[in-house]
Amino acid sequence: NRLICLLIQVIPIALKEQNVSQLVLGADTNSDSAGPVIAYLTGKGIARCRVPVVMVPGNLTDEQIDKLV
């Protein structure tokens, strides 16, 4: 899958940045799965992360997101 190949390349670059303290992902709320990115990261991809991975529902409003911060 091209998306997974892209993730394998992009995530390590993003996580190399010293200012990154967590990886926040919006999960797909319109299908039976959370999406390929989350599926990858909750599987073997999590071993590549050096920061916590936070999953939130992808349908949160800006106001709801602001309350989380």
Side-chain angles (χ1 to χ4, degrees):
N1 186 324
R2 289 188 312 183
L3 180 59
I4 298 301
C5 291
L6 180 64
L7 283 173
I8 291 171
Q9 296 172 7
V10 171
I11 289 173
I13 293 169
L15 296 180
K16 259 192 224 180
E17 293 296 320
Q18 296 301 314
N19 295 332
V20 175
S21 60
Q22 62 184 333
L23 180 61
V24 180
L25 303 170
D28 185 356
T29 57
N30 296 320
S31 69
D32 291 337
S33 72
V37 174
I38 291 179
Y40 171 75
L41 286 172
T42 57
K44 62 184 173 184
I46 197 68
R48 300 183 74 136
C49 293
R50 63 163 187 75
V51 296
V53 177
V54 178
M55 290 176 273
V56 298
N59 62 352
L60 292 179
T61 65
D62 288 346
E63 183 179 279
Q64 290 170 314
I65 293 170
D66 288 343
K67 288 180 181 177
L68 296 173
V69 179

